[in-house]
Amino acid sequence: MHKRTLLSVVCICLTSLLALNTYAEDTKWIEGRELTICGKNTNIASKKYCRLPISLVNDDPDLKSVGDLSSGISIRFKTNAETISIRWQIHKQEPLDHLTPCAANCFDLYARPSSNQWIWVGNTMQQDEKGSCSLVIGGDGKMCDYELFLPLNAVVDSVFIGVNESAYLMTIQPNEHAPIVLFGSDRSQGFSASRSGLSTSALLSRATNKEVINMGLGNLANFDEIMADILVTTKPSAIVVDCNNNLTSKSIIERSIPFFDQIATVHSEIPIILVEQALPMKNAYNQAEYAEIKARNTALERAYKMLVASGLKNIYYMSAMAYKTNDVSIDGIHFNDVGLKEYVERLADFLSKISVKK
């Protein structure tokens, strides 16, 4: 590369970095808590961007640590700003092999113009625990709805929305529908989306036009009593349970009836959907893993039939999504953007059919 060309590239890069880290002096800021928070259980008294009731998880450091993550939480607002900036302070977690730094630690902005369809605007794309950048510059000044998705694997201390001084910045009224609760392991939490706006809960919210409460708890999600205690604190329109990969065939059978009995006692009219673990392609490279997943799914189906036989009428069953190609995951287990999109489309269709039934 010629020296002159190289110098030009460096100048362009430096200009871009300066634009990301500056904002107009007349910017006015509002903390996200003063706007509409979505994806958070309304029964959580804490003002933090956390997902689990502190009273239930305080004695369990691991559960509290996962519950403090902002995965699935978003901030909705309306503005006619020509410039929209974000200022934040977060605590990053240990890097994960199956999650991009962008999804783990960055903020993702979507807009909904008059077409009523959400479109992606931009990502903060910075790995600093404290920083700021402008995501909209030179907007048209028309009133528009926005949704800012918080990081999938960070603890958010604060996030401010900044707009030019002359602009309006206001809350959006909460969705009139009761939210969908998504309880499960990494897939429910949003791993391994490339950015937070492409997580399972974000995709499902846009597909159903309902708020989705992300109760994805990674490898901690199971059929233990404390998990049922957490779920009964919610006020949902449906509960999706997708944590089969964290359990053994034996524990699925042993724990399912008391677990779902406890939930159904409180949510007697709410659809509860049991989701099988997705099946990877059956080939010579993963026979043992394939057999293990099949065994867990067989146990879950047996548990479902036992629950129906016991008299529970609001239990539904979603069979395994078979991989059409191994390209839907990053490691044979965790869905990438392609896999998550396919999974959510199938789940949204399933939820729609239940709504018609009811």
Side-chain angles (χ1 to χ4, degrees):
M1 184 180 287
H2 294 294
K3 289 183 179 180
R4 181 175 297 178
T5 305
L6 179 60
L7 181 62
S8 299
V9 171
V10 171
C11 289
I12 291 170
C13 291
L14 287 174
T15 302
S16 299
L17 287 172
L18 287 171
L20 282 172
N21 287 284
T22 58
Y23 44 83
E25 291 183 2
D26 65 344
T27 301
K28 60 181 179 183
W29 298 94
I30 293 183
E31 219 288 331
R33 295 177 181 88
E34 298 180 42
L35 300 168
T36 303
I37 306 297
C38 295
K40 179 174 177 175
N41 185 354
T42 54
N43 286 332
I44 297 180
S46 171
K47 292 184 178 180
K48 295 181 179 180
Y49 295 105
C50 59
R51 302 174 295 141
L52 300 182
I54 294 175
S55 59
L56 290 177
V57 302
N58 247 349
D59 296 332
D60 189 325
D62 291 335
L63 199 52
K64 183 180 183 303
S65 177
V66 175
D68 281 346
L69 301 178
S70 59
S71 180
I73 296 178
S74 64
I75 300 168
R76 285 192 179 185
F77 58 95
K78 184 187 291 286
T79 184
N80 62 343
E82 296 175 7
T83 302
I84 300 177
S85 302
I86 312 296
R87 192 175 73 199
W88 67 87
Q89 186 162 332
I90 66 173
H91 291 281
K92 296 192 292 187
Q93 306 303 299
E94 288 296 320
L96 298 174
D97 293 337
H98 57 279
L99 190 66
T100 69
C102 175
N105 303 309
C106 297
F107 296 81
D108 212 23
L109 185 64
Y110 276 71
R112 183 171 59 182
S114 56
S115 63
N116 206 38
Q117 183 171 347
W118 290 99
I119 57 173
W120 181 70
V121 173
N123 188 284
T124 54
M125 292 299 294
Q126 294 184 43
Q127 300 305 307
D128 300 326
E129 292 198 326
K130 186 176 182 180
S132 63
C133 73
S134 295
L135 293 181
V136 175
I137 301 175
D140 59 13
K142 294 180 180 178
M143 193 65 73
C144 185
D145 294 350
Y146 291 90
E147 184 162 16
L148 181 70
F149 290 94
L150 275 55
L152 296 182
N153 199 46
V155 177
V156 176
D157 288 337
S158 64
V159 53
F160 288 82
I161 316 295
V163 298
N164 44 287
E165 187 65 39
S166 60
Y168 291 100
L169 178 59
M170 60 194 73
T171 61
I172 296 178
Q173 290 302 313
N175 195 308
E176 61 181 4
H177 302 291
I180 297 166
V181 169
L182 193 59
F183 170 70
S185 54
D186 285 348
R187 183 162 64 185
S188 300
Q189 196 167 338
F191 303 167
S192 296
S194 60
R195 48 185 173 81
S196 56
L198 294 175
S199 67
T200 311
S201 53
L203 291 171
L204 187 60
S205 177
R206 292 196 291 272
T208 61
N209 195 31
K210 287 187 176 182
E211 181 180 357
V212 176
I213 297 177
N214 183 330
M215 293 267 180
L217 303 176
N219 60 7
L220 299 179
N222 53 47
F223 290 169
D224 285 351
E225 182 179 351
I226 189 171
M227 302 295 171
D229 290 339
I230 291 169
L231 289 175
V232 298
T233 66
T234 62
K235 297 178 180 178
S237 61
I239 298 175
V240 178
V241 179
D242 185 4
C243 57
N244 221 29
N245 55 309
N246 285 345
L247 298 155
T248 64
S249 302
K250 182 180 179 182
S251 62
I252 289 171
I253 299 296
E254 290 177 345
R255 300 182 191 179
S256 59
I257 289 185
F259 177 80
F260 288 103
D261 268 345
Q262 185 177 346
I263 299 172
T265 298
V266 176
H267 298 304
S268 58
E269 301 299 322
I270 301 300
I272 301 171
I273 298 95
L274 281 64
V275 181
E276 285 188 348
Q277 186 178 351
L279 286 167
M281 294 186 74
K282 187 176 182 180
N283 57 43
Y285 302 103
N286 56 19
Q287 287 298 296
E289 181 183 339
Y290 185 90
E292 187 177 336
I293 294 173
K294 283 285 288 184
R296 285 198 291 263
N297 287 347
T298 298
L300 187 67
E301 185 175 16
R302 182 182 166 196
Y304 164 72
K305 291 177 179 178
M306 291 166 62
L307 289 164
V308 172
S310 72
L312 294 185
K313 301 186 183 303
N314 58 327
I315 300 288
Y316 296 85
Y317 195 80
M318 186 170 133
S319 58
M321 184 182 95
Y323 286 20
K324 296 177 181 177
T325 167
N326 279 329
D327 291 339
V328 299
S329 78
I330 66 166
D331 55 7
I333 295 294
H334 297 95
F335 279 160
N336 56 24
D337 292 339
V338 176
L340 287 174
K341 185 175 185 293
E342 186 178 333
Y343 169 68
V344 167
E345 286 175 351
R346 191 163 178 262
L347 181 55
D349 181 62
F350 191 91
L351 288 165
S352 175
K353 289 176 180 176
I354 289 176
S355 298
V356 171
K357 281 184 179 180
K358 296 185 71 65

